[in-house]
Amino acid sequence: MSELALSFADIEAAHMRLSGVAHRTPVLTSASADAMTGARLFFKCENFQRAGAFKLRGAYNAIARLDADRRTAGVVAFSSGNHAQAIALAARLLGTRAVIVMPRDAPQIKAAATRGYGGEVVLYDRYSEDREAIGRRLAEERGLALIPPYDHPEVMAGQGTTAKELFEDSGGLELLLVPLGGGGLLAGCAVAAQALCPGCAVIGVEPQAGNDGQRSLRAGHIVHIDTPDTIADGAQTQHLGQFTFPVIRDLVRDIVTVSDAELIEAMAFFAGRLKIIVEATGALAAAAAFAARVPVRGKRVGIVVSGGNVDPARFAELIQRTGRAAPAQS
Ligand SMILES: *Cc1c(COP(=O)(O)O)cnc(C)c1O
């Protein structure tokens, strides 16, 4: 097998660094979710993570690994939101500063939260400007270390600690479903699965409108697409990364897609039955199980619930359409 960007030892080292910093988030179960799917589902709830998503894991690990001089100079990141908040918080925790390049139309709650953690926000137009070029220019001009949202071995190692905890706390799984944007979370989780539960099939889930990952896995090379139109704003990536793709190609069984309507159904289920707020991107993996995009019946299935950052008003608007805001019983 070719040399991959990260090993399980990197994930173990990241987990030590994150101890006392990131929450060990709960693994929830639900009798009604099990009854609906005929499976035993274990929800790893990163919507309860600090800054509201798993992204703190990778961000903190990557900044902690910078040498002292670079770390003091500060970091820059480009992100549709959750990576931005994570970088801003991680930088503050590690005593350095963060500049965040963020799309002008990013959810208001995400820009405000980033500023709240002490990050400096630089806005750009996601349809006409190149965020990577802006990020690189800021890095050069101000001597900042660029921390990408997914295509970075230390970021991937940090994200992999999510699955490490899930395997440890659920006591073994046959299937692991993971939301997929650029693939940092999926690649990290796949490496953890290979080490801790080699028989477990790992499956990525992405929005139907942005199925570049599925096409890449089938084509055997990275497929680029235009910015997809989906409510899963954390998975609007245009392509997998040079580090994430080889890991996904070698260790991930399949990539499936779900529609925006299926995401909203899953968000409503989480609110109505588990009483938790999950953002659209965070509901990708659960939606694949609920909509039977993957056969789960009779299996022990890990579901990564990756984040919960959604404006309450926006959440209410989405859920209203399903008519499932108030289930008769739970
Ligand atoms: C970033 C993000 C993802 C996708 O992660 P990648 O590492 O880019 O694949 C999924 N869910 C949420 C909530 C995110 O913020």
Side-chain angles (χ1 to χ4, degrees), residues 4 18 20 24 85 95 100 112 129 142 144 177 189 204 213 238 256 265 272 282 286 320:
L4 298 178
L18 288 167
R24 189 176 186 107
Q85 289 176 69
I100 310 297
E129 290 180 285
R142 305 205 207 170
L144 307 170
L177 306 183
C189 289
Q238 294 171 277
V256 300
E265 279 293 326
Q320 220 100 61

mmCIF file of all heavy atoms in Angstrom, residues 4 18 20 24 85 95 100 112 129 142 144 177 189 204 213 238 256 265 272 282 286 320:
data_model
loop_
_atom_site.group_PDB
_atom_site.id
_atom_site.type_symbol
_atom_site.label_atom_id
_atom_site.label_comp_id
_atom_site.label_asym_id
_atom_site.label_seq_id
_atom_site.Cartn_x
_atom_site.Cartn_y
_atom_site.Cartn_z
ATOM 1 N N LEU A 4 0.618 6.722 3.275
ATOM 2 C CA LEU A 4 -0.463 7.670 3.505
ATOM 3 C C LEU A 4 0.009 8.824 4.389
ATOM 4 O O LEU A 4 1.016 8.717 5.092
ATOM 5 C CB LEU A 4 -1.663 6.956 4.138
ATOM 6 C CG LEU A 4 -2.295 5.851 3.267
ATOM 7 C CD1 LEU A 4 -3.447 5.180 4.010
ATOM 8 C CD2 LEU A 4 -2.777 6.401 1.932
ATOM 9 N N LEU A 18 -5.111 16.752 22.791
ATOM 10 C CA LEU A 18 -6.470 17.290 22.947
ATOM 11 C C LEU A 18 -7.069 17.003 24.316
ATOM 12 O O LEU A 18 -8.123 17.550 24.666
ATOM 13 C CB LEU A 18 -7.385 16.706 21.862
ATOM 14 C CG LEU A 18 -7.129 17.242 20.459
ATOM 15 C CD1 LEU A 18 -7.839 16.387 19.416
ATOM 16 C CD2 LEU A 18 -7.599 18.690 20.349
ATOM 17 N N GLY A 20 -8.175 17.263 27.858
ATOM 18 C CA GLY A 20 -8.392 18.448 28.683
ATOM 19 C C GLY A 20 -8.681 19.708 27.879
ATOM 20 O O GLY A 20 -8.917 20.772 28.443
ATOM 21 N N ARG A 24 -14.679 15.173 25.371
ATOM 22 C CA ARG A 24 -14.991 13.817 24.930
ATOM 23 C C ARG A 24 -16.504 13.790 24.812
ATOM 24 O O ARG A 24 -17.212 13.628 25.812
ATOM 25 C CB ARG A 24 -14.476 12.781 25.929
ATOM 26 C CG ARG A 24 -14.597 11.365 25.389
ATOM 27 C CD ARG A 24 -13.998 10.336 26.325
ATOM 28 N NE ARG A 24 -14.011 9.028 25.691
ATOM 29 C CZ ARG A 24 -12.926 8.406 25.211
ATOM 30 N NH1 ARG A 24 -11.749 8.948 25.327
ATOM 31 N NH2 ARG A 24 -13.029 7.231 24.617
ATOM 32 N N GLN A 85 -14.252 29.091 13.282
ATOM 33 C CA GLN A 85 -14.476 29.193 14.734
ATOM 34 C C GLN A 85 -13.473 28.349 15.489
ATOM 35 O O GLN A 85 -12.971 28.741 16.547
ATOM 36 C CB GLN A 85 -15.881 28.690 15.073
ATOM 37 C CG GLN A 85 -16.976 29.621 14.619
ATOM 38 C CD GLN A 85 -18.334 29.010 14.893
ATOM 39 O OE1 GLN A 85 -18.738 28.882 16.041
ATOM 40 N NE2 GLN A 85 -19.035 28.619 13.859
ATOM 41 N N GLY A 95 -2.657 30.780 22.881
ATOM 42 C CA GLY A 95 -2.002 32.063 23.108
ATOM 43 C C GLY A 95 -1.470 32.744 21.860
ATOM 44 O O GLY A 95 -0.495 33.487 21.917
ATOM 45 N N ILE A 100 -9.148 35.039 9.814
ATOM 46 C CA ILE A 100 -10.026 34.086 9.136
ATOM 47 C C ILE A 100 -10.595 34.697 7.861
ATOM 48 O O ILE A 100 -11.182 35.782 7.901
ATOM 49 C CB ILE A 100 -11.217 33.694 10.045
ATOM 50 C CG1 ILE A 100 -10.737 33.266 11.436
ATOM 51 C CG2 ILE A 100 -12.063 32.636 9.378
ATOM 52 C CD1 ILE A 100 -9.874 32.053 11.485
ATOM 53 N N ALA A 112 -20.071 35.765 13.561
ATOM 54 C CA ALA A 112 -20.135 36.391 14.888
ATOM 55 C C ALA A 112 -19.368 35.561 15.917
ATOM 56 O O ALA A 112 -18.629 36.104 16.746
ATOM 57 C CB ALA A 112 -21.599 36.548 15.316
ATOM 58 N N GLU A 129 -14.334 35.208 -5.989
ATOM 59 C CA GLU A 129 -12.955 35.357 -5.522
ATOM 60 C C GLU A 129 -12.380 34.014 -5.075
ATOM 61 O O GLU A 129 -13.119 33.108 -4.693
ATOM 62 C CB GLU A 129 -12.903 36.357 -4.362
ATOM 63 C CG GLU A 129 -13.182 37.794 -4.790
ATOM 64 C CD GLU A 129 -13.127 38.745 -3.605
ATOM 65 O OE1 GLU A 129 -14.070 38.756 -2.793
ATOM 66 O OE2 GLU A 129 -12.130 39.478 -3.496
ATOM 67 N N ARG A 142 1.768 38.821 6.292
ATOM 68 C CA ARG A 142 1.819 38.957 7.752
ATOM 69 C C ARG A 142 2.609 37.848 8.450
ATOM 70 O O ARG A 142 2.619 37.791 9.677
ATOM 71 C CB ARG A 142 0.394 38.975 8.320
ATOM 72 C CG ARG A 142 -0.499 40.061 7.698
ATOM 73 C CD ARG A 142 -1.591 40.416 8.683
ATOM 74 N NE ARG A 142 -2.783 40.912 8.030
ATOM 75 C CZ ARG A 142 -3.946 41.105 8.638
ATOM 76 N NH1 ARG A 142 -4.077 40.798 9.911
ATOM 77 N NH2 ARG A 142 -4.981 41.582 7.984
ATOM 78 N N LEU A 144 1.941 34.672 8.603
ATOM 79 C CA LEU A 144 1.050 33.754 9.322
ATOM 80 C C LEU A 144 1.160 32.341 8.751
ATOM 81 O O LEU A 144 1.434 32.163 7.568
ATOM 82 C CB LEU A 144 -0.397 34.242 9.185
ATOM 83 C CG LEU A 144 -0.671 35.700 9.584
ATOM 84 C CD1 LEU A 144 -2.079 36.107 9.155
ATOM 85 C CD2 LEU A 144 -0.496 35.890 11.083
ATOM 86 N N LEU A 177 -20.578 5.607 9.540
ATOM 87 C CA LEU A 177 -21.010 6.590 8.547
ATOM 88 C C LEU A 177 -20.492 7.969 8.949
ATOM 89 O O LEU A 177 -20.683 8.404 10.089
ATOM 90 C CB LEU A 177 -22.540 6.621 8.450
ATOM 91 C CG LEU A 177 -23.234 5.279 8.174
ATOM 92 C CD1 LEU A 177 -24.748 5.471 8.041
ATOM 93 C CD2 LEU A 177 -22.691 4.647 6.902
ATOM 94 N N CYS A 189 -11.069 9.378 10.389
ATOM 95 C CA CYS A 189 -11.910 8.326 10.971
ATOM 96 C C CYS A 189 -11.593 6.971 10.349
ATOM 97 O O CYS A 189 -11.633 5.940 11.031
ATOM 98 C CB CYS A 189 -13.393 8.667 10.792
ATOM 99 S SG CYS A 189 -13.930 10.038 11.837
ATOM 100 N N GLY A 204 -18.502 7.248 3.536
ATOM 101 C CA GLY A 204 -18.637 8.703 3.548
ATOM 102 C C GLY A 204 -20.005 9.101 3.010
ATOM 103 O O GLY A 204 -20.558 8.428 2.142
ATOM 104 N N GLY A 213 -16.905 13.632 -4.188
ATOM 105 C CA GLY A 213 -16.175 12.567 -3.501
ATOM 106 C C GLY A 213 -16.545 11.201 -4.063
ATOM 107 O O GLY A 213 -15.681 10.363 -4.325
ATOM 108 N N GLN A 238 -15.261 21.805 -3.332
ATOM 109 C CA GLN A 238 -15.247 21.521 -4.770
ATOM 110 C C GLN A 238 -14.431 20.289 -5.128
ATOM 111 O O GLN A 238 -14.520 19.776 -6.235
ATOM 112 C CB GLN A 238 -14.700 22.743 -5.517
ATOM 113 C CG GLN A 238 -15.633 23.946 -5.410
ATOM 114 C CD GLN A 238 -14.979 25.200 -5.960
ATOM 115 O OE1 GLN A 238 -14.217 25.890 -5.289
ATOM 116 N NE2 GLN A 238 -15.255 25.472 -7.227
ATOM 117 N N VAL A 256 -21.775 7.631 -0.365
ATOM 118 C CA VAL A 256 -23.168 7.742 -0.805
ATOM 119 C C VAL A 256 -23.615 9.201 -0.644
ATOM 120 O O VAL A 256 -22.922 10.003 -0.016
ATOM 121 C CB VAL A 256 -24.097 6.802 0.003
ATOM 122 C CG1 VAL A 256 -23.670 5.353 -0.153
ATOM 123 C CG2 VAL A 256 -24.120 7.205 1.477
ATOM 124 N N GLU A 265 -35.243 16.242 7.124
ATOM 125 C CA GLU A 265 -35.949 15.180 7.867
ATOM 126 C C GLU A 265 -35.104 14.692 9.047
ATOM 127 O O GLU A 265 -35.604 14.492 10.154
ATOM 128 C CB GLU A 265 -36.238 13.983 6.944
ATOM 129 C CG GLU A 265 -37.458 14.141 6.067
ATOM 130 C CD GLU A 265 -38.760 14.159 6.873
ATOM 131 O OE1 GLU A 265 -38.848 13.459 7.903
ATOM 132 O OE2 GLU A 265 -39.684 14.889 6.476
ATOM 133 N N GLY A 272 -36.811 16.393 17.420
ATOM 134 C CA GLY A 272 -38.034 15.839 17.991
ATOM 135 C C GLY A 272 -37.789 14.670 18.922
ATOM 136 O O GLY A 272 -38.458 14.532 19.944
ATOM 137 N N GLY A 282 -24.079 18.406 9.642
ATOM 138 C CA GLY A 282 -23.914 17.467 10.741
ATOM 139 C C GLY A 282 -24.857 16.280 10.657
ATOM 140 O O GLY A 282 -24.641 15.257 11.311
ATOM 141 N N ALA A 286 -26.433 10.587 9.474
ATOM 142 C CA ALA A 286 -27.704 10.077 9.995
ATOM 143 C C ALA A 286 -28.738 9.979 8.875
ATOM 144 O O ALA A 286 -29.492 8.997 8.788
ATOM 145 C CB ALA A 286 -28.213 10.991 11.110
ATOM 146 N N GLN A 320 -40.001 23.546 10.236
ATOM 147 C CA GLN A 320 -41.426 23.816 10.044
ATOM 148 C C GLN A 320 -41.957 23.081 8.815
ATOM 149 O O GLN A 320 -43.060 22.548 8.823
ATOM 150 C CB GLN A 320 -41.615 25.320 9.820
ATOM 151 C CG GLN A 320 -42.830 25.882 10.507
ATOM 152 C CD GLN A 320 -42.425 26.564 11.797
ATOM 153 O OE1 GLN A 320 -41.663 27.516 11.756
ATOM 154 N NE2 GLN A 320 -42.901 26.081 12.914
#
